[in-house]
Amino acid sequence: MAEMEKKERVILVCADTGEDENFERSVKELEELAKACNMTVEGVVTQKMGSVSKAFYIGRGKVQEVKEYAKNLEADMVIFDNSLTPSQLRNLQKEVEKPVMDRTALILDIFSTRAKTREAKLQVETARLQYLMSRLVGMHDALTRQGGASGSMSSKGAGEKKLELDRRKIEKRLSELRRELEEVSKERKNQSKRRMNARTPKVALVGYTNAGKSTLMNAMIDKYLQDEEKKVLEKDMLFATLDTTVRSIDMGENREILLSDTVGFIHKLPHGLVKAFRSTLEEVKNADLLLYVVDYSDEEYRQQIKVTEETLLEIGAANIPAVFVYNKADLCEPGQLPKVTGDNRIYMSAKTGQGLEELSQMILDKVYAQYVQAEFLFPYSQGKDASYFMENAQVLEQEYAEGGIRLKVNCHRADAGKYAEFKVG
């Protein structure tokens, strides 16, 4: 039997500067992130401080406390909940005598281990290299005094020469990654364009990581497709899935939607990751309806909504119609749940199926609001136009008459106008 992989033992360091309104939640999330990276949290050190130390981020006395704490607990690494500058990182590692990592690097590590598709791997590597580049630039600035005044490579100090070479290697690789991502992005855009032309309503699941988006996607697949192979990975873990998955869901009576499951968001999600995953998140920008999936059993569920809204604003998807899906109602006390489900919100449980029927109807009411009933008569010479309606509208009546194909349909208002010359009645 193979020996199990040894988990890294880590110490977490969280500084409360007063800027984060949800400091305790941030600490808890850092613990969950460490666990998601297969680490064992041995202890947590916190410090309330008015200003940040340029040298160590935390106070010098606290640095010594962290050093002793990590030594006594035999920790392998120290993780900070804050983004550290290159000099802070270097100074801390020297003083603590342990490898030091910040929250951004930890999230990047999780993403690198979870990326499965070629596109996700390219996006994560791009974000990692951009993160490393910003650190190299900082270290480069600190070493410029080693060089001469001419600016040539020959006049640079040994440390600066190596950093310059590293920087050039990273820039070269980033250029390669951008070209590869552009190729993948073209194919994604072509797929998206075909879906746009098909007139099938697009619904995107968005929200905080581990709020239940994948569980809801699988619940819809169970209800309407009954196809285990179409299901997505579902796990009680932060960032269990990174890749955007699109499924065609036939909800009956020729009413179909394209449902997409997207990467989850989190408090202090690195900007570089949002930027790197922008092409993947195009599915969100092109959606007709967003389902904000919220873990209603979490006392800080309002913070989840705030983070989701901020991230959607960053990618340019803030004005798309939305339904707030307050999930995990089965974990709430009966008195916690409001009795009324509103026009744009629902309290449900994707895990148990409670409220799934109501959500399905709500989705149909929203995405088919722009659909109208119309009757057309297509000459047999225009059979391709009749086929378009058979594939992209709800066919109520169909007749092969003497003058052509008669169709009574519920169709998109734009299609009714486009084919107005064939309307009858």
Side-chain angles (χ1 to χ4, degrees), residues 46-251:
T46 62
Q47 181 178 26
K48 194 172 181 65
M49 49 198 286
S51 60
V52 171
S53 163
K54 289 184 179 180
F56 300 103
Y57 198 93
I58 56 175
R60 182 177 288 275
K62 187 62 69 170
V63 173
Q64 293 305 311
E65 181 184 325
V66 170
K67 177 181 178 180
E68 291 301 317
Y69 197 42
K71 182 179 179 181
N72 293 337
L73 293 176
E74 299 181 345
D76 301 305
M77 182 182 295
V78 176
I79 303 177
F80 276 69
D81 192 33
N82 313 86
S83 184
L84 301 172
T85 66
S87 60
Q88 287 169 344
L89 197 62
R90 190 169 57 249
N91 293 340
L92 284 164
Q93 288 183 155
K94 183 178 179 181
E95 289 293 323
V96 176
E97 298 177 354
K98 299 279 184 183
V100 176
M101 176 186 285
D102 63 13
R103 183 186 178 102
T104 299
L106 180 61
I107 293 177
L108 286 169
D109 262 16
I110 296 171
F111 271 54
S112 66
T113 59
R114 302 285 165 75
K116 302 300 179 187
T117 65
R118 180 189 174 211
E119 183 176 23
K121 290 177 180 178
L122 292 172
Q123 289 167 328
V124 173
E125 187 181 353
T126 298
R128 285 178 68 92
L129 289 179
Q130 288 172 337
Y131 171 81
L132 181 57
M133 175 71 83
S134 67
R135 266 88 191 132
L136 281 178
V137 170
M139 287 186 276
H140 183 279
D141 291 343
L143 291 169
T144 51
R145 65 175 64 91
Q146 294 181 17
S150 69
S152 66
M153 282 292 287
S154 61
S155 70
K156 296 177 184 288
E160 192 179 356
K161 282 182 183 178
K162 184 178 186 307
L163 288 171
E164 181 70 21
L165 291 171
D166 287 344
R167 184 179 64 81
R168 289 184 178 184
K169 286 180 183 177
I170 291 174
E171 286 179 340
K172 181 181 178 182
R173 179 57 182 155
L174 280 171
S175 296
E176 293 170 353
L177 287 168
R178 290 188 190 104
R179 285 195 294 271
E180 290 183 65
L181 275 169
E182 195 171 327
E183 292 175 10
V184 177
S185 181
K186 281 181 182 177
E187 176 57 29
R188 177 179 287 281
K189 286 179 179 177
N190 287 336
Q191 292 175 350
S192 182
K193 188 176 180 180
R194 288 195 291 270
R195 288 196 285 265
M196 292 281 284
N197 291 338
R199 287 281 185 209
T200 306
K202 291 164 288 298
V203 181
L205 298 165
V206 297
Y208 221 70
T209 179
N210 210 29
K213 296 184 299 300
S214 297
T215 304
L216 181 53
M217 166 74 93
N218 288 339
M220 294 290 284
I221 291 171
D222 277 337
K223 181 175 176 61
Y224 294 104
L225 301 183
Q226 293 93 43
D227 187 344
E228 289 293 320
E229 292 185 0
K230 295 287 186 182
K231 287 181 150 185
V232 297
L233 176 65
E234 181 183 324
K235 200 169 183 179
D236 185 15
M237 181 184 288
L238 300 185
F239 300 117
T241 54
L242 298 183
D243 303 301
T244 294
T245 304
V246 182
R247 294 288 182 262
S248 177
I249 308 289
D250 185 349
M251 302 179 76

Side-chain angles (χ1 to χ4, degrees), residues 260-305:
S260 59
D261 181 22
T262 60
V263 62
F265 308 139
I266 197 171
H267 183 46
K268 294 194 275 190
L269 183 66
H271 176 74
L273 274 176
V274 176
K275 187 176 180 181
F277 276 74
R278 191 174 294 274
S279 61
T280 305
L281 293 169
E282 286 293 319
E283 294 294 341
V284 176
K285 290 178 63 178
N286 294 329
D288 299 295
L289 179 68
L290 300 181
L291 301 183
Y292 283 45
V293 183
V294 182
D295 179 359
Y296 192 61
S297 68
D298 188 332
E299 293 179 356
E300 300 291 337
Y301 73 90
R302 290 185 181 84
Q303 177 66 15
Q304 290 186 21
I305 297 173

Side-chain angles (χ1 to χ4, degrees), residues 328-384:
K328 304 189 183 182
D330 56 308
L331 301 179
C332 301
E333 295 295 330
Q336 279 184 268
L337 294 176
K339 293 181 179 179
V340 180
T341 293
D343 179 54
N344 68 336
R345 68 183 185 278
I346 184 170
Y347 300 86
M348 63 169 295
S349 169
K351 185 177 180 180
T352 66
Q354 173 191 342
L356 189 61
E357 187 70 41
E358 291 83 352
L359 175 63
S360 299
Q361 189 57 54
M362 190 177 288
I363 292 171
L364 290 174
D365 290 344
K366 297 284 185 183
V367 298
Y368 281 94
Q370 291 299 312
Y371 279 60
V372 296
Q373 191 174 115
E375 191 172 337
F376 300 90
L377 180 63
F378 294 101
Y380 288 108
S381 60
Q382 299 294 128
K384 62 178 183 179

